[in-house]
Amino acid sequence: MRRDIAIGMSDGSTVPLALAAGLSGMAVPSDIIVFSGLVIACVGAVAMGIGAWAAQRSTNTQTISSPDLMELGFSESQQEQAISVLRKEHKNLEEVISVPDKLKEKNNNQVYRRAAITVSIAYFLSGLLVIFPYIILTDPVRMLFTAAIIACAILVISGYYKAKENGINPLFGAILTMSIGIMAAGAAFGVAKLISGS
């Protein structure tokens, strides 16, 4: 669940910040930036939720017929040893360590839904936080600067936990995720300035 939240937060802050930076670079009125940000937050949340559901389903479909000893803390080699011992002791291994298919499918569907909802909510709330300065502030420079600070804070937190979940140095993950967000926003701002000719 922590990983799903981190994924939603990361994308949910990067995309709206890049959008806001691009539109700010073209000197678009703040109400249009707010509307565009809300739209991208809603659409992105739905798309990310569907993506998370599909990813979970794809992963679990590949391993649905094998006993899931990983949840009990078994490493891959330990799983193989445990299955080997059970096969020697019991003729019908499935009766010993498998749950019925209907129960397994029901549990998996709950996992898919939880992942989709978690990612969607994290994406939407992160996007909303990034757009919020455009609602409460009046100065365009302060709007963009505040949005960038909020996005960087979200990216550092999400990058830290994503890296931790994947066994990477959390500090490196936090800095890398924040750097990608800043580069995306900077590129959007630069391209917008170039197109607008200002």
Side-chain angles (χ1 to χ4, degrees), residues 52-66 68 71 99-116:
W53 182 86
Q56 284 285 340
R57 186 171 174 80
S58 171
T59 302
N60 286 354
T61 300
Q62 292 170 4
T63 58
I64 197 166
S65 61
S66 62
D68 192 7
E71 289 181 3
V99 295
D101 286 342
K102 285 184 180 178
L103 180 60
K104 189 178 279 187
E105 188 176 338
K106 183 182 177 183
N107 289 341
N108 283 333
N109 284 335
Q110 288 174 351
V111 171
Y112 307 152
R113 279 196 298 272
R114 194 182 309 120

Side-chain angles (χ1 to χ4, degrees), residues 13-37:
S13 53
T14 302
V15 176
L17 178 63
L19 173 73
L23 293 176
S24 294
M26 297 183 77
V28 172
S30 61
D31 55 343
I32 294 176
I33 296 174
V34 170
F35 177 74
S36 303

Side-chain angles (χ1 to χ4, degrees), residues 10-156:
S10 176
D11 289 3
S13 53
T14 302
V15 176
L17 178 63
L19 173 73
L23 293 176
S24 294
M26 297 183 77
V28 172
S30 61
D31 55 343
I32 294 176
I33 296 174
V34 170
F35 177 74
S36 303
L38 290 173
V39 169
I40 204 77
C42 291
V43 172
V46 172
M48 287 292 291
I50 293 169
W53 182 86
Q56 284 285 340
R57 186 171 174 80
S58 171
T59 302
N60 286 354
T61 300
Q62 292 170 4
T63 58
I64 197 166
S65 61
S66 62
D68 192 7
L69 299 175
M70 194 177 296
E71 289 181 3
L72 299 174
F74 285 72
S75 67
E76 196 171 325
S77 61
Q78 288 172 329
Q79 287 181 55
E80 290 173 8
Q81 289 172 2
I83 292 167
S84 177
V85 169
L86 287 168
R87 280 200 176 116
K88 288 176 186 174
E89 297 293 325
H90 302 278
K91 291 181 180 178
N92 193 347
L93 182 63
E94 288 298 316
E95 288 180 6
V96 179
I97 57 176
S98 289
V99 295
D101 286 342
K102 285 184 180 178
L103 180 60
K104 189 178 279 187
E105 188 176 338
K106 183 182 177 183
N107 289 341
N108 283 333
N109 284 335
Q110 288 174 351
V111 171
Y112 307 152
R113 279 196 298 272
R114 194 182 309 120
I117 291 168
T118 302
V119 170
S120 294
I121 291 171
Y123 187 104
F124 179 77
L125 292 178
S126 297
L128 203 59
L129 282 172
V130 172
I131 296 301
F132 194 65
Y134 287 88
I135 299 171
I136 61 169
L137 299 176
T138 53
D139 179 53
V141 176
R142 285 185 64 199
M143 289 176 188
L144 181 57
F145 184 70
T146 309
I149 290 173
I150 292 169
C152 284
I154 294 169
L155 289 167
V156 165

